[in-house]
């Protein structure tokens, strides 16, 4: 399988802008900037990486849950890309995944096992050579919409991160 997108950049870094188009047409001549234009118009490469990682993780988690015999009602993942100035230049140094899912019949242990597997099997997680931290919360589907669901104790906070690389040590 091959997927593609194309981008065009016009101008210098500080005042330039670009257009990005995906083969699917989901993005078609969409504006992007180095870090955003400050007015909320257009995207930037870091936001696109966060979107790709969040989407890929949701798919990987749905797959892991299916393998364990569960069908999620909902998986919501927010990916936050952390960028820092290092001696070699601006670098993505970490990504934080925050996951909230509603999975009928799933126990805490089932959910944690699936989220950890999904974090390491997600194609985008494996692509990125950075620290990936994760917090995951299993929402009680029987009490959905109640105060108890918002305060559910079924959660995992993974503060331990690990550099992930493929084919060579980091």
């Amino acid at each position: 399988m091959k997927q593609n997108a194309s981008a065009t950049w016009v101008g210098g870094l500080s005042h330039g802008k670009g257009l990005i188009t995906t083969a699917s047409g989901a993005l078609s001549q969409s504006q992007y900037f180095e870090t955003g234009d400050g007015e909320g118009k257009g995207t930037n490469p870091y936001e696109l990486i966060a979107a790709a990682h969040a989407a890929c993780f949701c798919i990987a988690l749905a797959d892991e849950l299916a393998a364990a015999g569960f069908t999620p009602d909902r998986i919501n993942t927010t990916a936050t890309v952390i960028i820092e100035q290092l001696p070699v230049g601006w670098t993505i140094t970490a990504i934080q995944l925050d996951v909230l899912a509603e999975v009928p019949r799933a126990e805490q242990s089932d959910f944690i096992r699936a989220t950890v597997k999904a974090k390491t099997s997600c194609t985008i997680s494996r692509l990125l050579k950075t620290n990936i931290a994760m917090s995951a919360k299993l929402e009680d589907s029987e009490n959905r919409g109640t105060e108890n669901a918002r305060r559910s104790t079924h959660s995992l906070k993974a503060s331990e991160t690990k550099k992930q690389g493929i084919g060579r040590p980091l």
Side-chain angles (χ1 to χ4, degrees), residues 80-94:
T80 303
V81 173
I82 293 93
I83 308 159
E84 297 180 54
Q85 177 69 47
L86 299 179
V88 295
W90 287 100
T91 303
I92 295 173
T93 57

Side-chain angles (χ1 to χ4, degrees), residues 56-116:
C56 186
F57 180 84
C58 284
I59 293 167
L61 181 54
D63 186 48
E64 292 297 337
L65 289 166
F70 302 104
T71 301
D73 284 346
R74 181 181 45 84
I75 301 169
N76 181 295
T77 302
T78 300
T80 303
V81 173
I82 293 93
I83 308 159
E84 297 180 54
Q85 177 69 47
L86 299 179
V88 295
W90 287 100
T91 303
I92 295 173
T93 57
I95 296 178
Q96 171 70 39
L97 296 175
D98 294 305
V99 185
L100 177 63
E102 186 177 330
V103 187
R105 303 181 303 99
E107 297 292 326
Q108 170 79 2
S109 58
D110 301 321
F111 181 67
I112 290 173
R113 214 174 358 266
T115 57
V116 170

